[in-house]
Amino acid sequence: MRAYRQAAEAADIVIAEVGAWSNPLSSDPAERAQALETCKAALTLADSIGARCCVNVTGSRGARWDGPDPKNLTGETFDMIVASVREIVDAGQPESAYYTLEAMQWMYPDSPDSYLRLLGAIDRDRVAVHLDPVNMINSAERYFRNADLVRECFAKLGRYTVSCHAKDVHLDDRSIVHLDEVTPGDGALDYGVFLEELDRLDADTPLILEHLPDEAEYDRAAAFIRKVQREGGRQA
């Protein structure tokens, strides 16, 4: 771990995140306990290698670890999230890394305001924001007004944001509302606004492409984002 950190620093590479993908809210006690240990270990690793953050979703009360469930958006679950995040951060005691929550369409945090509520309720200095605006687009209104949503995210959460994900979203014309994740440039996310707002943060704040099928698609997505950046007058 020391060698990895030293190599990254020597190459001027920012280590963006360590994933802790698991379900700290699982209804299965053994799975829940294992998930909490996974998150604690991932946070410790992030701190050890100098990563900006450890990231996970808050978890689901349903059968799938990151899936929808009627209990996800309830006061009881909100309180469970607060307790689980406090346990993870208090156990890890990170010095430089942050524990962060990635928004999801059907679980908290699902909006800038619910993220702010969580941050206030958790009340830990080493908890920050991993911003993925696409994951907050869960309606036609947010889809068509996504530039406003992006601006709201940065206005309310920008000072807490330590890393971001880059993807895109497409609204199909099938009934009922049907949203698909797509490659950046193939959807409706206003990357001009996204990059403009991101430019106001620390220059080392990462923007990470994810979920693409192969290297060629990553190259295409990166080229699109750099093109938008250049056209906006920012250095690529």
Side-chain angles (χ1 to χ4, degrees), residues 64-127:
R64 200 179 86 187
W65 72 279
D66 62 348
D69 188 86
K71 295 180 181 178
N72 283 355
L73 299 173
T74 63
E76 178 186 45
T77 298
F78 186 95
D79 292 342
M80 291 172 66
I81 294 167
V82 171
S84 68
V85 173
R86 284 179 174 177
E87 179 178 341
I88 292 163
V89 175
D90 291 348
Q93 292 291 308
E95 295 181 0
S96 59
Y98 291 89
Y99 188 75
T100 61
L101 302 170
E102 183 174 357
M104 289 289 284
Q105 297 89 338
W106 44 60
M107 63 178 63
Y108 294 128
D110 64 339
S111 68
D113 285 338
S114 67
Y115 213 139
L116 279 179
R117 284 182 58 226
L118 272 175
L119 291 176
I122 294 166
D123 192 26
R124 294 294 187 271
D125 290 341
R126 303 314 298 182
V127 176

Side-chain angles (χ1 to χ4, degrees), residues 32 44 46 62 113 126 132 142 144 154 177 179 202 235:
R32 183 170 64 250
T44 298
D113 285 338
R126 303 314 298 182
D132 188 334
R142 285 188 179 179
F144 290 121
F154 280 93
V177 174
L179 295 161
D202 170 15
Q235 182 179 348

Side-chain angles (χ1 to χ4, degrees), residues 13-222:
I13 291 173
V14 174
I15 302 173
E17 65 184 46
V18 171
W21 311 116
S22 57
N23 189 5
L25 303 184
S26 173
S27 57
D28 181 324
E31 182 181 353
R32 183 170 64 250
Q34 181 57 58
L36 288 168
E37 292 308 309
T38 295
C39 293
K40 294 171 187 176
L43 179 56
T44 298
L45 175 60
D47 208 45
S48 297
I49 63 175
R52 289 180 68 102
C53 67
C54 167
V55 58
N56 193 14
V57 297
T58 55
S60 175
R61 305 286 298 279
R64 200 179 86 187
W65 72 279
D66 62 348
D69 188 86
K71 295 180 181 178
N72 283 355
L73 299 173
T74 63
E76 178 186 45
T77 298
F78 186 95
D79 292 342
M80 291 172 66
I81 294 167
V82 171
S84 68
V85 173
R86 284 179 174 177
E87 179 178 341
I88 292 163
V89 175
D90 291 348
Q93 292 291 308
E95 295 181 0
S96 59
Y98 291 89
Y99 188 75
T100 61
L101 302 170
E102 183 174 357
M104 289 289 284
Q105 297 89 338
W106 44 60
M107 63 178 63
Y108 294 128
D110 64 339
S111 68
D113 285 338
S114 67
Y115 213 139
L116 279 179
R117 284 182 58 226
L118 272 175
L119 291 176
I122 294 166
D123 192 26
R124 294 294 187 271
D125 290 341
R126 303 314 298 182
V127 176
V129 171
H130 190 296
L131 186 58
D132 188 334
V134 165
N135 283 6
M136 295 188 195
I137 297 174
N138 55 9
S139 69
E141 181 178 8
R142 285 188 179 179
Y143 177 84
F144 290 121
R145 299 179 181 174
N146 73 79
D148 292 337
L149 174 63
V150 171
R151 291 189 183 98
E152 182 185 3
C153 285
F154 280 93
K156 295 178 176 178
L157 304 174
R159 64 187 181 276
Y160 306 112
T161 298
V162 295
S163 190
C164 299
H165 276 164
K167 55 195 185 199
D168 214 331
V169 59
H170 171 72
L171 175 64
D172 201 289
D173 61 3
R174 288 177 286 167
S175 294
I176 47 181
V177 174
H178 189 95
L179 295 161
D180 283 311
E181 179 182 338
V182 295
T183 300
D186 291 348
L189 190 72
D190 193 324
Y191 265 91
V193 170
F194 193 3
L195 296 177
E196 180 181 6
E197 294 294 328
L198 183 59
D199 226 22
R200 304 179 195 276
L201 305 188
D202 170 15
D204 280 337
T205 304
L207 179 64
I208 308 168
L209 291 163
E210 63 169 355
H211 298 168
L212 300 178
D214 52 45
E215 187 174 348
E217 199 69 355
Y218 277 100
D219 288 343
R220 185 169 76 87

